[in-house]
Amino acid sequence: MTKTPLALLIAGLLSLGTGAVPLRAAADGVPVAAASAEQIPQLAYQRFTLPNGLTVVVHEDHKAPVVAVSIWYHVGSSYEPKGKTGFAHLFEHLMFQGSENHKDEYFKPFELAGATDMNGTTWLDRTNYFETVPTTALDMALWMESDRMGHLLGAIGQPQLDEQRGVVQNEKRQGENQPYGRVGELIQAEAFPANHPYHHDTIGSMADLNAASLDDVKQWFRGYYGAANTVLVLSGDITAAQAKEKALKYFGDIAPGPQVPRPQVWVAPRQHSTRGTMTDNVAQTRIYREWNVPSRTSDELNQLQLAASVLGGSKTSRLYQRLVYRDKLADSVSVDIDQHVLASMFQLQVDVKKGVDPARVEAAIADEWGKFLANGPTADELARVKTEVRASFVRGLERVNTQATILAQGQLYSGDPGQYQKDFKTLMAATPASVKAAADRWISHGDYTLTVVPGKVDAADMATVAGRPAAPGAPAPKLSPKGDYHVVKSDVDRAKGVPQVERFPDLTFPALQRGKLANGIQVVLAERHAVPAVQIALQFAGGYAADHGRKLGTSSFTMGMLDEGTRSLDSVEIAKRKQRLGAMINTGCSLDACTASLNALDDQLKPSLDLFADIVRHPAFRDTDVARVRGQWLAGIAQEKSQPVGIALRTLPPLLYGEGHPYAIPFTGSGTEASIRSLTTADMRAFMADYIRPDNVTILVAGDTTLDKIVPQLDAVFGDWSASGKVPPRYLGKVAPPAHPRVFLVDRPGAQQSLILAGELAPSTEAPNNLPIETMSSAFGGTFTSRLNMNLREDKHWAYGAFSFLREAKGQRPFLMYAPVQTDKTADSVAEILKEAHGVVGDKPLTAAEIDKIKVGDVRSLPGSYQTTAAVMGALQNIALYHRPDDYVQTLKSRIQAQTDAEVNDAAREVIHPGQLTWVIVGDLSKIRAPLEKLDLGAMQVLDADGKPVAGGK
């Protein structure tokens, strides 16, 4: 789990809580800090401890009728004894297997209640479980969480352990099957001594997972899942009084649990540099470098976060400027920090440009690193990073689950839900001298360097690598405080089962308002005043499909070049201005549209709009910038071709649509090496003239503004924009299905898993029966408890997940079935997918219960789905692109409910045709081809990563 420095500062400002800052109240009641570069919003909270030791933190946010439930157990993989690696994560999976009073899949009641943001995760120092539910479903959620906390062991037997062991092992295979997917385990083993709790990765070793016993499960639960070792955070549409009553009711009778032996801080920095090399199925050489640095609870880590941002946090950073811009030695550079309790990991990552000697890259890094250590950051560098930190934090607080995470981390790691305010103040108070001092102490020596080079994948489990030898100085664990805890009798009758949710809140979605600029550009606004920021999107018809008749990748590459320089600003100055304004500007394309978007703070909207308009209207396309981005783009294509999913998404669409169709392109939108190499500035300017123009755009706005305010502001920068000629017409002809199934294999020697992708064409997103088609896909393979996932993951445990999904499109769209499965079960998995496809259109149509589950879940999840301005903006974009009525979201509930079972099953028969499937399977052909041939699916052809037939591959 790595984060870029600023994402880390906002998720590491996920060490967050309260402090004294001047507040103003937003219209919907969310406290928002007064605009200042040194202030952030305050999460007002109340904290109390139940008699059994459970800590409860409550934050009120009544903007939407939902509550985030977040439970954090103070145990992670660093608590695992020798020989039991991976156990904390395996146990997390077992927590979703049901409980003594709900002996069924844990997800089922939540799917019916419309829960969102639901999952569980394990990391070195903690295990957490979370969901956001409609306010009226809170009792159900707390009953479920408390039942597995207090009443689990009777529901876990050998079958459940064996099932989740298989699922976890496939999760491990899936991760390690990705390019660079085995790096994390090796770096962690080399970073920390063999006797350090962090020496092993969270996923663990295959051998230890195989050895896990039922007794181990029970002991882990008894030792670590007591109430006194847990933090419960409730954030959203709830009061502190309600929270206290419900927490005591559902959790008060759960045993506190024993004292926990808590690992102690041990940074264990190296005194000398060490290094290693790994070969992997990768497209280019990558250099990693790691330093052990202080705990996430140390003020010094805040200084180092700033150092990371200045060194490698963005396009303006020291190393990016040196390696990518000046010396042209690398395609990408990043510096980040993994924050942990016992120690943190300061990490550098560089993708070496093809053909460049890595030694030259390391020499340039050493030079820049030395300059930074000698002089520290400049005041301007720190000021820009600090503004980005504040802006990102302001934007991130709309989602109640994020609020809960911030408060939980502060409480669990620092004993203070308000820790984020302290961290923020430390960051804002940092000076060039304080950052330099921290860098001198922690990142001037003792690094571990790993160079990953293309080559044959080593079959060894990286979790078994010896790594750094044991070292003296390991502190002994300390028992958590004893506490005078006791349980409280509960009147909850668990024999009655899960509380039924009888009522559900209605969605509140802003009414759309429309305006027009002087030149006729349409403006659509949805007001949201939760945070002091405005989002603006210029949506142009076109997208990847506009590459038809052009060089593939033209649309995406051109849009990607917009912020690489204007007539008056170069790319670095643009990046610096975005940092100073706290503005986010992004440009890119999807299948049918291209978008330029701005996310600006209220107090910086005018200068942000000026910069945004300059980027959209006056791109320079300088040769030096084009050459730099072209090199990065080609490296990106090579990376796609080394990833199983990337290979499949590049290969399948041309097979589905056939040569000459606008959608017969890699669905990554990146084009091909040949097309990108030949792309000229004239091609880009022609695309701009045809598509990025005022008569082909709708301006969408969501956030803290009004129509009377925003239209004049937009008119000032876009109202005089004009264009000549006409937008090219689009032709999305209908494609006939293949007469027979087709199977295409792509060889990936040494792959631990096979990626199975089967597809055919479904009607357009604009089809009248779009909702029944989507409901059908969700019931068949779109949710955790859908048929595909329950078969391949929960029943067979051959995959970490198996799903079906639809890609949105104005023309015929792909219906895809997806499953990454363990290599030795490839043919068996294909047979199971085919069996499910035949069944749903044959003798096993979707049942009324399966259909109703999706319908009620979709309706009940609406309030949670539109908490954020970004989600509202996404709805606006779809309304504009697919010509939906302005009240589409407000009327969605009635249209979902109006679907009949017959309509949904008719959609299945319309879309799913097992005899017309096109299969793309990426894996080790030496192991999977013969079993696949025995299935006799149809004509089989071997393709390379470009989708071209391999000679003799039939």
Side-chain angles (χ1 to χ4, degrees):
M1 178 185 294
T2 60
K3 302 180 182 75
T4 60
L6 287 175
L8 179 65
L9 292 175
I10 308 316
L13 279 173
L14 290 181
S15 317
L16 308 179
T18 61
V21 275
L23 298 181
R24 66 174 177 86
D28 55 13
V30 179
V32 179
S36 166
E38 295 189 0
Q39 294 171 348
I40 53 174
Q42 179 184 21
L43 292 175
Y45 67 87
Q46 290 194 37
R47 175 180 55 184
F48 52 88
T49 303
L50 299 187
N52 61 359
L54 178 70
T55 301
V56 183
V57 181
V58 189
H59 168 67
E60 295 188 38
D61 181 345
H62 300 286
K63 70 175 181 292
V66 294
V67 180
V69 179
S70 195
I71 297 194
W72 293 56
Y73 294 89
H74 203 160
V75 61
S77 58
S78 63
Y79 290 69
E80 295 164 348
K82 186 176 178 60
K84 299 191 186 302
T85 64
F87 200 81
H89 177 237
L90 174 60
F91 190 84
E92 174 222 312
H93 277 246
L94 289 168
M95 286 280 279
F96 288 96
Q97 287 296 102
S99 52
E100 291 171 4
N101 301 292
H102 175 70
K103 294 185 178 180
D104 202 346
E105 288 292 337
Y106 189 82
F107 286 96
K108 281 188 177 180
F110 290 93
E111 288 180 344
L112 290 172
T116 55
D117 293 329
M118 184 177 185
N119 210 338
T121 69
T122 307
W123 203 210
L124 302 183
D125 307 301
R126 55 88 185 139
T127 308
N128 65 350
Y129 305 87
F130 49 89
E131 57 271 338
T132 298
V133 296
T135 306
T136 53
L138 181 59
D139 283 275
M140 178 276 293
L142 294 177
W143 188 98
M144 290 289 291
E145 288 288 3
S146 60
D147 205 61
R148 65 177 171 181
M149 181 191 289
H151 310 275
L152 181 77
L153 293 186
I156 301 298
Q158 195 64 43
Q160 288 79 19
L161 174 58
D162 291 341
E163 174 189 319
Q164 290 308 311
R165 188 198 332 264
V167 171
V168 168
Q169 288 179 330
N170 271 302
E171 181 180 357
K172 178 179 170 71
R173 292 185 186 104
Q174 185 170 322
E176 294 179 1
N177 201 41
Q178 305 306 311
Y180 312 103
R182 301 174 308 130
V183 163
E185 287 177 293
L186 180 57
I187 288 180
Q188 209 166 313
E190 294 288 356
F192 298 104
N195 54 333
H196 195 290
Y198 288 171
H199 182 71
H200 67 274
D201 186 69
T202 298
I203 199 70
S205 74
M206 286 292 191
D208 286 356
L209 289 169
N210 281 328
S213 70
L214 203 54
D215 285 341
D216 293 331
V217 169
K218 294 179 178 180
Q219 185 54 46
W220 190 266
F221 178 76
R222 295 188 187 106
Y224 296 112
Y225 274 65
N229 197 42
T230 308
V231 173
L232 165 64
V233 180
L234 300 173
S235 180
D237 188 25
I238 188 172
T239 66
Q242 291 170 329
K244 184 173 291 187
E245 181 268 325
K246 291 181 186 295
L248 191 62
K249 174 181 178 179
Y250 291 108
F251 293 90
D253 65 341
I254 296 174
Q259 291 177 270
V260 173
R262 196 80 70 204
Q264 299 300 297
V265 170
W266 185 22
V267 179
R270 288 173 295 268
Q271 298 307 308
H272 306 286
S273 297
T274 58
R275 59 191 309 122
T277 302
M278 172 191 286
T279 59
D280 198 0
N281 189 357
V282 297
Q284 65 190 121
T285 297
R286 178 177 289 176
I287 298 170
Y288 294 87
R289 187 164 290 169
E290 186 274 341
W291 292 258
N292 292 8
V293 295
S295 163
R296 63 182 304 142
T297 61
S298 166
D299 282 347
E300 277 192 297
L301 196 66
N302 294 315
Q303 309 291 332
L304 291 170
Q305 288 173 340
L306 295 170
S309 294
V310 172
L311 282 165
S314 69
K315 187 183 292 186
T316 65
S317 66
R318 301 276 186 97
L319 290 171
Y320 198 98
Q321 285 292 301
R322 174 68 181 270
L323 299 177
V324 178
Y325 273 85
R326 181 179 138 188
D327 293 357
K328 300 177 176 59
L329 298 175
D331 291 314
S332 68
V333 183
S334 66
V335 180
D336 58 25
I337 305 178
D338 274 359
Q339 293 186 352
H340 305 297
V341 172
L342 310 186
S344 299
M345 301 171 73
F346 193 103
Q347 297 191 58
L348 161 71
Q349 177 180 307
V350 182
D351 283 343
V352 179
K353 189 175 285 292
K354 193 171 183 178
V356 170
D357 183 353
R360 291 184 59 201
V361 177
E362 291 200 40
I365 292 170
D367 185 45
E368 286 300 322
W369 213 268
K371 292 175 183 176
F372 182 83
L373 292 172
N375 303 307
T378 67
D380 179 61
E381 286 173 322
L382 284 189
R384 284 188 275 113
V385 170
K386 290 176 182 180
T387 301
E388 281 189 305
V389 169
R390 173 189 169 255
S392 298
F393 188 84
V394 167
R395 293 186 182 101
L397 285 185
E398 285 185 284
R399 191 179 297 275
V400 291
N401 183 53
T402 302
Q403 299 168 359
T405 299
I406 289 167
L407 296 170
Q409 286 189 314
Q411 176 60 41
L412 195 78
Y413 299 135
S414 303
D416 181 4
Q419 181 64 35
Y420 75 98
Q421 288 280 359
K422 298 175 182 177
D423 286 339
F424 185 79
K425 288 178 180 178
T426 302
L427 287 164
M428 293 301 108
T431 65
S434 67
V435 173
K436 178 183 181 300
D440 286 341
R441 180 175 179 187
W442 293 106
I443 59 171
S444 61
H445 62 280
D447 57 281
Y448 168 70
T449 299
L450 176 66
T451 305
V452 183
V453 297
K456 184 178 179 181
V457 179
D458 186 344
D461 184 350
M462 286 294 109
T464 64
V465 171
R468 186 176 168 187
K478 293 183 180 179
L479 286 176
S480 58
K482 185 176 178 64
D484 183 19
Y485 303 129
H486 62 275
V487 299
V488 177
K489 183 176 175 57
S490 172
D491 61 0
V492 175
D493 184 358
R494 294 189 179 269
K496 292 181 178 179
V498 184
Q500 295 301 303
V501 186
E502 305 292 348
R503 297 179 301 105
F504 291 90
D506 290 326
L507 167 70
T508 300
F509 191 88
L512 303 195
Q513 305 169 57
R514 289 183 175 269
K516 187 183 291 186
L517 304 190
N519 56 358
I521 295 178
Q522 295 289 323
V523 177
V524 184
L525 167 67
E527 291 187 33
R528 284 293 292 264
H529 302 285
V531 296
V534 178
Q535 296 186 27
I536 298 170
L538 274 61
Q539 184 165 277
F540 303 88
Y544 306 154
D547 288 348
H548 189 227
R550 301 172 188 266
K551 297 165 184 174
L552 294 186
T554 297
S555 57
S556 287
F557 192 96
T558 302
M559 292 300 290
M561 284 297 305
L562 295 191
D563 68 349
E564 293 293 341
T566 70
R567 295 170 192 166
S568 58
L569 303 173
D570 64 22
S571 61
V572 177
E573 183 56 31
I574 288 174
K576 287 181 178 179
R577 292 194 182 192
K578 287 193 289 186
Q579 287 180 312
R580 293 184 184 113
L581 294 169
M584 296 172 60
I585 296 175
N586 295 294
T587 56
C589 294
S590 59
L591 189 59
D592 291 303
C594 292
T595 305
S597 63
L598 166 68
N599 190 324
L601 300 178
D602 284 357
D603 57 0
Q604 299 295 337
L605 181 56
K606 185 185 183 305
S608 299
L609 265 175
D610 290 339
L611 178 62
F612 181 52
D614 191 29
I615 287 170
V616 173
R617 296 182 60 179
H618 308 125
F621 300 123
R622 294 182 182 90
D623 289 343
T624 53
D625 293 319
V626 172
R628 171 175 46 81
V629 174
R630 193 194 312 275
Q632 295 171 313
W633 204 274
L634 291 170
I637 293 175
Q639 294 278 15
E640 290 174 6
K641 289 162 59 176
S642 69
Q643 300 163 356
V645 172
I647 293 169
L649 290 177
R650 293 183 63 82
T651 303
L652 183 57
L655 298 172
L656 290 176
Y657 289 98
E659 188 175 353
H661 193 281
Y663 291 171
I665 56 176
F667 266 18
T668 58
S670 54
T672 66
E673 285 102 334
S675 63
I676 296 301
R677 286 194 181 98
S678 65
L679 195 63
T680 66
T681 55
D683 296 327
M684 290 179 249
R685 293 191 184 281
F687 176 83
M688 292 287 293
D690 282 346
Y691 289 100
I692 310 305
R693 45 190 291 153
D695 55 350
N696 190 45
V697 69
T698 302
I699 300 181
L700 309 167
V701 185
D704 189 24
T705 188
T706 65
L707 198 65
D708 288 342
K709 287 181 182 178
I710 196 64
V711 169
Q713 291 172 311
L714 291 169
D715 208 46
V717 293
F718 292 113
D720 63 346
W721 192 10
S722 61
S724 59
K726 293 183 177 180
V727 178
R730 300 182 70 200
Y731 303 101
L732 296 174
K734 188 167 183 179
V735 178
H740 306 287
R742 300 174 297 168
V743 183
F744 298 92
L745 308 179
V746 182
D747 194 15
R748 200 165 184 270
Q752 297 188 52
Q753 283 189 325
S754 299
L755 184 133
I756 300 169
L757 195 63
E760 53 187 319
L761 297 184
S764 162
T765 301
E766 296 177 335
N769 65 336
N770 176 56
L771 279 178
I773 290 173
E774 291 189 342
T775 298
M776 174 277 298
S777 179
S778 294
F780 179 67
T783 67
F784 185 90
T785 60
S786 64
R787 291 188 180 187
L788 282 180
N789 195 57
M790 292 303 291
N791 183 332
L792 292 181
R793 172 180 163 133
E794 295 298 281
D795 181 28
K796 308 294 191 307
H797 39 85
W798 296 340
Y800 179 50
F803 299 97
S804 66
F805 57 95
L806 291 150
R807 175 73 180 261
E808 304 285 1
K810 292 180 74 67
Q812 288 167 286
R813 56 179 164 164
F815 170 76
L816 303 173
M817 292 176 283
Y818 158 87
V821 302
Q822 61 192 70
T823 297
D824 63 341
K825 298 299 182 183
T826 303
D828 292 335
S829 298
V830 168
E832 289 297 320
I833 293 171
L834 200 55
K835 181 189 78 175
E836 296 290 356
H838 277 293
V840 78
V841 296
D843 60 357
K844 290 183 64 179
L846 294 169
T847 65
E850 287 177 302
I851 294 169
D852 189 61
K853 176 190 69 175
I854 301 302
K855 288 167 58 178
V856 299
D858 285 349
V859 167
R860 294 166 183 175
S861 66
L862 287 172
S865 299
Y866 292 104
Q867 295 177 61
T868 66
T869 304
V872 172
M873 175 59 79
L876 293 187
Q877 290 176 310
N878 285 335
I879 286 170
L881 183 59
Y882 300 117
H883 306 294
R884 292 169 172 168
D886 283 1
D887 64 352
Y888 180 84
V889 176
Q890 291 92 331
T891 59
L892 192 53
K893 174 181 176 179
S894 62
R895 284 180 287 108
I896 291 172
Q897 291 173 330
Q899 299 172 93
T900 67
D901 294 355
E903 288 173 336
V904 175
N905 275 306
D906 285 346
R909 288 185 287 272
E910 180 182 7
V911 172
I912 301 177
H913 303 279
Q916 297 173 357
L917 287 170
T918 298
W919 300 80
V920 172
I921 303 172
V922 183
D924 188 337
L925 295 196
S926 69
K927 297 177 181 177
I928 68 174
R929 182 168 183 173
L932 285 170
E933 287 174 337
K934 292 179 182 178
L935 293 179
D936 196 23
L937 293 175
M940 192 172 289
Q941 172 73 60
V942 179
L943 304 177
D944 63 19
D946 289 310
K948 296 177 181 177
V950 173
K954 288 187 177 181

